């Protein structure tokens, strides 16, 4: 029920943004929410043949994207700061708030921006809800939103360059500088970026669940450490790697049990979760100082 409540809140909020931005009355929000729900089940309309069709459909289904009151998505329109921020807030599922003095108390975007402020999404971002975003501005919001999950952006790059290098933003068209920061971000472009974020958050959360299951299975009895590598679904590869004293490797994978002599290994083991579809890292945890089980989270960072 909590998830349903959050989804309903997000839908009402985002439809309200669309209404106000298009000159409608705030009292129309509830009526248009019903129309929005119907539009979600309708044919893809104006994005049916768009390159971002799958990403748009995913976002509408998961509740972090929305259509306009006319039932269309308008994928070629430049995304506004408030639209992009609202999607980031919805994906992060931010509930707590922090004051945003730049917006008056009765501003239509106040609630969204207060949640974004609390989550750190607005760090070094001038508040301007109606601003049409460039790639650099959108990339900054992404790195702000994802700092708790992936750390700082790669050093030596602009936000655009770092996000393009990471693979979450498309480079400029051929014949132009690859990392052009001034290009606009369309709503279709934004849908692709946001789907990467939703999927990454999902797989990192799943990775932590697998790690917790693995950690609970570990037992140490004198010189022997035993445990079980959780059995992941077909999309993920889980592995436990022991490094032997001669720098060899002993590896156990999905669903396998292990029993290893501590006296034959170095003082650590590594538990890793990787996505087999794209080789992305869903979690890496190093257990050092065996048998004390001190855990260090080495999950891949943006800066690496």
């Amino acid at each position: 029920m909590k998830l349903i409540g959050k989804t309903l809140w997000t839908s009402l909020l985002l439809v309200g943004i669309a209404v106000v931005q298009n000159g409608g009355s705030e009292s129309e929000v509830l009526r248009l929410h019903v129309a929005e729900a119907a539009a979600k089940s309708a044919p893809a309309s104006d994005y049916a043949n768009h390159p971002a069709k799958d990403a748009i459909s995913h976002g509408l289904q998961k509740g972090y994207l929305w259509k306009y009151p006319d039932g269309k998505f308008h994928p070629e329109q430049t995304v506004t700061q408030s639209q992009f921020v609202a999607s980031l807030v919805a994906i992060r599922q931010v509930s707590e708030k922090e004051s945003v003095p730049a917006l008056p108390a009765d501003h239509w975007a106040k609630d969204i921006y207060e949640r974004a402020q609390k989550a750190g999404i607005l760090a070094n971002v001038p508040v301007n809800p109606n601003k049409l975003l460039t790639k650099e501005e959108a990339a900054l919001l992404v790195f702000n939103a994802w700092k708790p999950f992936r750390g700082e952006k790669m050093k030596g790059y602009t936000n655009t360059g770092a996000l393009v290098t990471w693979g979450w933003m498309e480079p400029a068209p051929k014949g132009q500088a690859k990392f052009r920061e001034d290009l606009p971000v369309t709503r279709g472009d934004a849908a692709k970026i946001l789907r990467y974020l939703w999927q990454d958050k999902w797989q990192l959360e799943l990775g932590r669940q697998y790690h917790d299951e693995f950690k609970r299975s570990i037992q140490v009895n004198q010189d022997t450490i035993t445990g079980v590598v959780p059995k992941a679904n077909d999309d993920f590869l889980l592995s436990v790697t022991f490094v032997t004293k001669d720098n060899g490797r002993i590896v156990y994978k999905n669903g396998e049990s292990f029993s290893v002599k501590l006296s034959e290994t170095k003082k650590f083991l590594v538990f890793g979760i990787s996505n087999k579809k794209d080789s992305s890292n869903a979690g890496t945890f190093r257990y050092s100082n065996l048998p004390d089980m001190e855990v260090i989270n080495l999950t891949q960072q943006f800066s690496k």
Side-chain angles (χ1 to χ4, degrees):
M1 291 301 294
K2 288 185 178 179
L3 179 59
I4 294 173
K6 287 184 178 179
T7 301
L8 177 60
W9 171 85
T10 301
S11 299
L12 288 170
L13 178 62
L14 299 183
V15 174
I17 293 171
V19 173
V20 178
Q21 286 181 331
N22 285 276
S25 167
E26 292 185 19
S27 64
E28 298 179 71
V29 171
L30 186 57
R31 178 179 64 80
L32 289 173
H33 171 65
V34 176
E36 174 71 3
K40 284 185 178 181
S41 61
S45 63
D46 65 328
Y47 66 89
N49 298 313
H50 195 276
K53 174 187 174 181
D54 290 344
I56 294 169
S57 296
H58 184 273
L60 292 172
Q61 179 188 12
K62 298 300 181 182
Y64 60 82
L65 290 178
W66 62 99
K67 296 178 183 178
Y68 281 92
D70 63 2
K72 296 181 179 181
F73 187 78
H74 299 287
E76 295 302 333
Q77 285 189 7
T78 302
V79 71
T80 66
Q81 185 186 86
S82 58
Q83 290 170 345
F84 201 69
V85 167
S87 291
L88 293 172
V89 167
I91 293 172
R92 285 278 308 270
Q93 296 184 312
V94 184
S95 58
E96 297 183 2
K97 302 180 184 180
E98 185 176 324
S99 175
V100 180
L103 295 178
D106 59 349
H107 195 280
W108 57 266
K110 186 76 169 178
D111 188 82
I112 297 170
Y113 276 75
E114 286 184 342
R115 295 171 193 269
Q117 178 76 1
K118 180 63 177 179
I121 296 171
L122 300 180
N124 300 313
V125 175
V127 173
N128 188 350
N130 294 320
K131 184 175 186 357
L132 301 179
L133 292 185
T134 65
K135 295 181 79 168
E136 183 68 7
E137 291 162 343
L140 173 58
L141 288 166
V142 168
F143 282 116
N144 285 347
W146 239 241
K147 187 175 180 179
F149 304 107
R150 293 288 185 182
E152 302 284 352
K153 73 176 180 68
M154 293 177 289
K155 296 179 180 179
Y157 289 83
T158 62
N159 294 301
T160 301
L163 203 60
V164 169
T165 301
W166 188 255
W168 286 2
M169 178 179 278
E170 293 183 0
K174 290 183 179 180
Q176 302 183 33
K178 182 178 181 180
F179 296 155
R180 272 193 64 181
E181 298 93 352
D182 61 319
L183 293 177
V185 177
T186 67
R187 283 169 55 82
D189 296 332
K192 291 181 179 180
I193 295 169
L194 293 164
R195 180 170 61 171
Y196 281 120
L197 301 185
W198 187 95
Q199 291 175 334
D200 193 52
K201 182 172 181 286
W202 169 76
Q203 74 172 8
L204 288 172
E205 290 173 345
L206 183 61
R208 283 195 292 271
Q209 292 176 20
Y210 284 138
H211 172 251
D212 290 344
E213 183 179 345
F214 166 73
K215 188 175 181 180
R216 288 193 298 269
S217 78
I218 296 175
Q219 293 186 10
V220 178
N221 184 9
Q222 296 181 344
D223 186 44
T224 302
I225 179 171
T226 62
V228 180
V229 182
K231 187 175 182 180
N233 64 41
D234 291 339
D235 293 336
F236 291 90
L237 173 64
L238 276 59
S239 64
V240 176
T241 303
F242 291 87
V243 181
T244 63
K245 290 192 172 179
D246 59 357
N247 289 322
R249 298 290 188 272
I250 306 173
V251 181
Y252 299 88
K253 299 180 180 179
N254 294 27
E256 294 182 341
S257 300
F258 59 86
S259 178
V260 176
K261 295 289 186 182
L262 291 174
S263 58
E264 298 174 1
T265 67
K266 291 195 173 181
K267 296 296 184 180
F268 67 91
L269 65 86
V270 176
F271 177 73
I273 311 104
S274 61
N275 190 321
K276 292 191 286 188
K277 289 185 176 180
D278 57 13
S279 300
S280 57
N281 181 3
T284 300
F285 302 87
R286 173 170 168 159
Y287 285 68
S288 59
N289 300 323
L290 296 179
D292 294 337
M293 298 302 166
E294 177 185 348
V295 183
I296 303 173
N297 189 339
L298 298 176
T299 302
Q300 187 177 4
Q301 302 291 301
F302 276 127
S303 58
K304 292 183 180 179

